[in-house]
Amino acid sequence: MNAPDLTPRPYRAIQALPDQLISQIAAGEVIERPSAVVKELLENALDAGATQITVRLEQGGVKRIAITDNGRGIPPEQMPLALARHATSKIASLTDLENVGTLGFRGEALASIASVAQLTLTTRTADAAHAWEISGSQEGTVAPASGAPGTTIDVQDLYFNTPARRKFLKSEQTEYGHCAEVVRRIALARPDVSFSLSHNGKTVDHWNIGEFAKRSAHILGDEFAAARLPLDESAGPLRLYGFVGLPTASKARADAQYFYVNGRFVRDKLLVHAVRAAYQDVLHGDRYPSYALSLDLDPALVDVNVHPSKIEVRFRDSRSVHQFVFHAVSRALATTSATSFGAAPAPQAAGPMPWMRDQQQTAFGAPLRPNFQAGGSGSFGVAQDTAAYGALFRPGTQSSLDMNAQTGAGTPPAALLQANAANLPASGTQTLPDDDFPLGFALAQLHGIYVLAQNSKGLVVVDMHAAHERILYEQLKNALDDNSMYVQPLLIPVTFYADAIEVGTAEEHQETLSALGFDIAAMSPTTLAVRAIPALLQNADAQTLARDVLRDVREYGGSRVLLERRNELLGTLACHTAVRANRSLTIPEMNALLRQMEATERADQCNHGRPTWSLLALSDMDKLFLRGQ
């Protein structure tokens, strides 16, 4: 490889750049490929009030991009100005810029596109007798033309006058894929607008005006539509709505994640982090969640003018936004108990129970309490007050494993279990109301690992260790959340070298750090001292923990490090306490496990994101044995 030429260049006088070169430089920031042209023109069409948009592409958009809408159109006297740089009808003052309610606002798109391609603008207002047309730049001539009310922008031969830039484009199919993805993103955000997409003369996609649920199913696919949870929450000026996919709808790539802020598609690291954190203990390995979410808030609370392509935003109160999104998605995912075939019964609901509930309580022993805890023997159905777990993590207390070992909690009398088993009716004669018991009733145990049960849909197979692990894990989390954050002061403060950003973060976010259980003080311009940490994490490396928390607080306004460390510890406790493989369970114990799964949040996955149960439907078994064929 040749070494770079470091010879000083001859001095040149400072001079103003020509307008054409200025536009081409701006185009390099905004129009990096054909998909950027599609994005800018679609946003202009939506800002113009269009309800019907047609996108026509040739050769991946390199040869031609033509977008037609039925919006308001542009009066002929304003058409040259529409092609001028920094000319727009969307803002007129700093106040307008700080309260942007449109997708576009810079007034650079058409001028930038016209500087690197052949552009023709044809438009007609509703009250005009005919359409008008202008080609090239703002110096072009406005001439009469034919056309329906609305606007058509025809862009041909992209980068014809900057061939070096054209060499960086990928294959036709790759560029088309990027253009199609932009159309999908915008179409998903606006189900109230119909979109049509064609490539090389062939219609590829068409979306009629409809509901968001139908539009998201069309764009994200049937798999997402069959495994999604609705979400609609508000808090003060914030509203988050849309759909989050169940963990079973996760993907190997992050290509099914659509997040919108005031209707604008964004890839904001704060929002992505908040959603990812909500999924952190229900996803397996490196899987990515699928979702289509919209966040609406006062435009004054978000800055959309932080990136040339407007794909990033900055929130005035990033911590509040992060916490709101995280908790909203967490609550939606918390409904994913093992109830795919009906709503789970409320644990110990007051009032009369259906006759099938009465039969279950009689056959399977004493009424089940939602806070049951299995002991060292791996038995189910015995109640234990999980609020005691909150005390287990206070300084100077024993671990839950030690407590269980000493109390022997969770060991029911063998005679009672035998009596319960003897009272069971024949499984084949039981009526299975889906609304009450979606996981059905236990039949047997397979190899000491799986519980086999039947419901009205078919055969339910449960991984008993994974299922019990999730139940205990959720109980531990709930018990700990009911208690305040206990702080462990350090006898000897841990000091470490810190850069100016870390010191500034510690000083600026003292209140946030204190709420997280930390006391971090600046000892000098280059030294921080950790004087207290959360008691639950008292055995962690204080310096590493403090650095991680400071980084999260700086970037996201809060810290998920603590939640992840805490949940990792609780997951270990739950794993060690859960019933082990090869443990023989009685029928009442198996049914107690099924009932607890139905009443436990996130019971479809264990703490590591693996499924806890699966259904083999009767129709699948009929196919397996060729019944009815």
Side-chain angles (χ1 to χ4, degrees):
M1 177 181 290
N2 295 329
D5 183 8
L6 301 180
T7 304
R9 297 191 177 186
Y11 171 79
R12 288 183 179 177
I14 298 175
Q15 56 184 332
L17 296 176
D19 289 340
Q20 179 69 7
L21 183 56
I22 291 174
S23 296
Q24 290 175 343
I25 293 173
E29 297 177 350
V30 180
I31 314 299
E32 72 272 15
R33 64 192 328 155
S35 61
V37 176
V38 175
K39 174 181 178 295
E40 296 291 343
L41 298 185
L42 285 178
E43 289 180 347
N44 281 347
L46 292 174
D47 286 341
T51 59
Q52 193 172 16
I53 300 176
T54 301
V55 181
R56 300 189 299 276
L57 306 174
E58 293 182 16
Q59 296 182 13
V62 178
K63 181 176 177 58
R64 188 186 186 197
I65 300 171
I67 295 184
T68 301
D69 66 65
N70 66 342
R72 290 185 292 271
I74 304 172
E77 65 275 8
Q78 295 184 14
M79 291 174 64
L81 198 57
L83 299 178
R85 296 184 64 245
H86 306 305
T88 179
S89 62
K90 301 170 186 178
I91 62 172
S93 65
L94 179 60
T95 301
D96 293 339
L97 182 61
E98 293 175 344
N99 294 272
V100 172
T102 54
L103 297 176
F105 55 86
R106 292 195 178 110
E108 291 186 65
L110 294 182
S112 297
I113 296 170
S115 70
V116 293
Q118 304 286 355
L119 182 146
T120 301
L121 167 63
T122 306
T123 184
R124 177 183 173 185
T125 57
D127 57 352
H130 56 80
W132 296 86
E133 182 179 281
I134 184 173
S135 297
S137 63
Q138 66 180 108
E139 286 79 20
T141 302
V142 178
S146 61
T151 301
T152 295
I153 299 182
D154 195 338
V155 180
Q156 300 191 38
D157 296 325
L158 191 62
Y159 301 126
F160 78 99
N161 56 354
T162 53
R165 188 61 181 271
R166 192 162 186 167
K167 292 178 182 178
F168 284 92
L169 297 179
K170 305 301 182 181
S171 67
E172 175 182 327
Q173 195 59 31
T174 297
E175 296 301 338
Y176 166 73
H178 286 289
C179 292
E181 176 62 18
V182 166
V183 178
R184 282 193 293 268
R185 290 174 184 173
I186 294 179
L188 182 59
R190 295 296 303 269
D192 58 325
V193 178
S194 69
F195 291 84
S196 181
L197 171 64
S198 65
H199 186 222
N200 292 335
K202 180 180 179 181
T203 300
V204 178
D205 263 316
H206 181 80
W207 299 284
N208 291 320
I209 295 175
E211 297 179 350
F212 180 67
K214 186 175 181 180
R215 180 68 62 87
S216 63
H218 191 166
I219 293 177
L220 274 72
D222 295 336
E223 182 180 356
F224 176 81
R228 66 186 180 185
L229 298 167
L231 189 158
D232 192 343
E233 289 204 22
S234 298
L238 305 177
R239 181 195 175 201
L240 183 69
Y241 58 95
F243 294 99
V244 291
L246 290 170
T248 51
S250 63
K251 306 186 71 175
R253 297 188 303 164
D255 58 354
Q257 299 181 348
Y258 296 85
F259 212 118
Y260 302 87
V261 175
N262 289 345
R264 184 191 310 277
F265 176 83
V266 298
R267 284 206 180 279
D268 183 80
K269 64 180 182 179
L270 181 141
L271 299 174
V272 171
H273 185 273
V275 176
R276 180 71 184 182
Y279 276 90
Q280 58 101 13
D281 62 353
V282 293
L283 278 187
H284 177 60
D286 295 327
R287 304 288 293 179
Y288 292 91
S290 302
Y291 51 83
L293 294 171
S294 293
L295 176 66
D296 288 352
L297 72 165
D298 187 340
L301 300 179
V302 56
D303 185 1
V304 299
N305 190 28
V306 297
H307 192 276
S309 62
K310 303 188 291 289
I311 203 169
E312 295 180 9
V313 294
R314 182 181 294 118
F315 297 101
R316 178 175 297 181
D317 188 350
S318 58
R319 184 188 181 198
S320 295
V321 173
H322 186 282
Q323 292 298 301
F324 171 68
V325 172
F326 167 73
H327 288 295
V329 176
S330 294
R331 280 189 288 270
L333 293 175
T335 64
T336 59
S337 56
T339 55
S340 296
F341 309 110
Q348 287 302 289
M353 298 181 179
W355 71 270
M356 193 60 211
R357 179 74 56 81
D358 296 335
Q359 179 182 348
Q360 186 266 345
Q361 300 292 350
T362 302
F364 303 145
L368 296 172
R369 281 188 271 173
N371 59 351
F372 92 101
Q373 165 64 24
S377 67
S379 300
F380 300 90
V382 179
Q384 176 177 322
D385 185 6
T386 56
Y389 278 108
L392 299 183
F393 305 104
R394 301 177 191 176
T397 59
Q398 296 170 303
S399 71
S400 62
L401 296 180
D402 294 335
M403 179 174 285
N404 281 337
Q406 292 181 16
T407 63
T411 306
L416 176 60
L417 294 180
Q418 293 174 359
N420 289 337
N423 291 332
L424 280 174
S427 297
T429 63
Q430 296 184 47
T431 303
L432 305 175
D434 292 346
D435 288 345
D436 280 353
F437 306 111
L439 291 183
F441 297 93
L443 299 173
Q445 194 175 12
L446 181 64
H447 291 299
I449 300 175
Y450 301 104
V451 171
L452 306 182
Q454 73 163 353
N455 64 8
S456 61
K457 307 293 183 181
L459 178 67
V460 176
V461 183
V462 176
D463 183 333
M464 66 181 193
H465 174 76
H468 193 209
E469 187 178 0
R470 168 58 74 178
I471 292 169
L472 298 181
Y473 179 54
E474 292 298 326
Q475 290 178 346
L476 287 168
K477 287 198 302 182
N478 291 337
L480 189 61
D481 289 341
D482 289 340
N483 293 272
S484 59
M485 175 68 71
Y486 293 101
V487 176
Q488 176 65 57
L490 300 182
L491 184 62
I492 302 176
V494 176
T495 60
F496 61 94
Y497 172 80
D499 59 32
I501 296 178
E502 289 175 324
V503 173
T505 302
E507 293 178 340
E508 182 181 352
H509 297 278
Q510 276 294 322
E511 185 177 344
T512 299
L513 292 171
S514 178
L516 294 173
F518 280 87
D519 182 0
I520 303 177
M523 306 301 292
S524 76
T526 59
T527 305
L528 287 176
V530 183
R531 300 187 295 201
I533 62 175
L536 180 61
L537 304 174
Q538 57 186 309
N539 295 324
D541 184 306
Q543 177 180 333
T544 302
L545 188 61
R547 287 188 185 277
D548 290 344
V549 169
L550 287 172
R551 184 190 65 247
D552 271 13
V553 169
R554 182 176 67 249
E555 295 184 358
Y556 309 115
S559 180
R560 297 268 60 82
V561 171
L562 301 185
L563 183 66
E564 292 165 3
R565 297 279 184 93
R566 184 200 77 165
N567 288 350
E568 182 179 348
L569 175 60
L570 298 185
T572 300
L573 291 175
C575 183
H576 286 140
T577 311
V579 62
R580 295 295 187 180
N582 299 318
R583 163 67 184 168
S584 178
L585 301 182
T586 64
I587 293 292
E589 290 175 311
M590 297 181 206
N591 280 298
L593 175 63
L594 298 178
R595 302 291 79 80
Q596 280 290 36
M597 290 177 64
E598 292 166 349
T600 299
E601 296 177 347
R602 306 176 183 88
D604 286 344
Q605 284 79 32
C606 76
N607 315 342
H608 314 292
R610 295 185 293 105
T612 59
W613 66 282
S614 184
L615 173 73
L616 181 59
L618 285 173
S619 58
D620 294 332
M621 288 188 278
D622 289 342
K623 294 177 182 178
L624 183 63
F625 293 101
L626 305 180
R627 289 179 60 87
Q629 298 185 18

